[in-house]
Amino acid sequence: MPKLIVGNWKMNGLQADSRDLAEKLAAGMKGDPSNDFHMVVCPPATMIAPVAAVLKGSAIRWGGQDCHAEASGAFTGDIAAPMLKDLGCDFVILGHSERRQYHEETSAQVAAKAKQAYAAGLAVIICVGELDAQRSAGEQESVVARQLAESIPAEALPLNTVIAYEPVWAIGTGKTASAEDIRQMHAFIRGKVGRMQILYGGSVKAENAREILHTENVDGVLVGGASLKAEAFMAIAAASRLP
Ligand code: PEP
């Protein structure tokens, strides 16, 4: 199965640099007839339309970084799943640790958002992962098990739901989980989610992508910082190929 390579641009990018990044990725994919990976980018909400205009007709798909649990209404500043679909999104990231941490988002809210995303025709990328202190206390599996149980709604299917395992201590820190830690946790998650794709996220870069992408039960990667540079992101995607 092709690896899923997802770029989370977070709160970065104005029109010129976002278009430029999308153009470089689209050009890079044109010269890459590979069936080894599928590429998705998730720009900030304001950049989805300009990026979509560049990526339309390319092999790259796009998504949002969050959506509301209601389809519309008096929720100032929020974005509804049908709005993302209207911009051609195929995916939405839900429950990213930055949303859980800075917006106090709960797993129950993530599940409610996922239901709206499905109703709008979006696939969801549900993020789970333990804090540093939880891993030090040996609680990583119980934490992730609880997040999975509470964040994934009953409607979830392998076709509409991707799980991203992102140990919080590895996000944006330059620290990556070891291949053995990733192998163990992905095997644990596989036991819970069956055939859903499972991505790893946390300081993935060109230098470590090959080992991570070829670890058992790793179906792709969710990339933050390194997805903001076309060359680095393309190199991560290219690492999907077996040598
Ligand atoms: C992320 O934002 O999901 C992420 C994994 O970030 P980074 O690659 O920068 O650690």
Side-chain angles (χ1 to χ4, degrees), residues 9 28 43 45 59 66 73-74 78 85 89 107 129 136 156 172 180 201 208-209 216 227:
W9 294 4
D66 180 45
D78 280 313
K85 191 67 190 174
C89 290
S107 292
S136 300
E180 181 51 24
N208 58 21
E216 215 179 332
S227 71

Side-chain angles (χ1 to χ4, degrees), residues 43-122:
T46 55
M47 288 301 112
I48 294 175
V51 165
V54 173
L55 296 183
K56 210 165 176 203
S58 80
I60 305 173
R61 291 181 293 163
W62 56 93
Q65 297 176 10
D66 180 45
C67 71
H68 198 274
E70 297 291 336
S72 63
F75 300 103
T76 303
D78 280 313
I79 295 154
M83 296 172 181
L84 295 177
K85 191 67 190 174
D86 191 45
L87 294 178
C89 290
D90 286 322
F91 291 89
V92 61
I93 298 171
L94 294 178
H96 190 282
S97 66
E98 288 152 13
R99 302 233 27 116
R100 291 181 188 264
Q101 189 179 348
Y102 304 132
H103 297 265
E104 291 171 12
E105 212 168 275
T106 64
S107 292
Q109 286 168 330
V110 173
K113 290 177 176 200
K115 286 188 199 179
Q116 279 299 336
Y118 299 146
L122 296 170

Side-chain angles (χ1 to χ4, degrees), residues 8 10 96 98 166 170-173 201-204 222-226:
N8 173 14
K10 309 195 185 190
H96 190 282
E98 288 152 13
E166 300 206 300
I171 297 178
T173 58
S203 298
V204 176
L222 177 54
V223 185

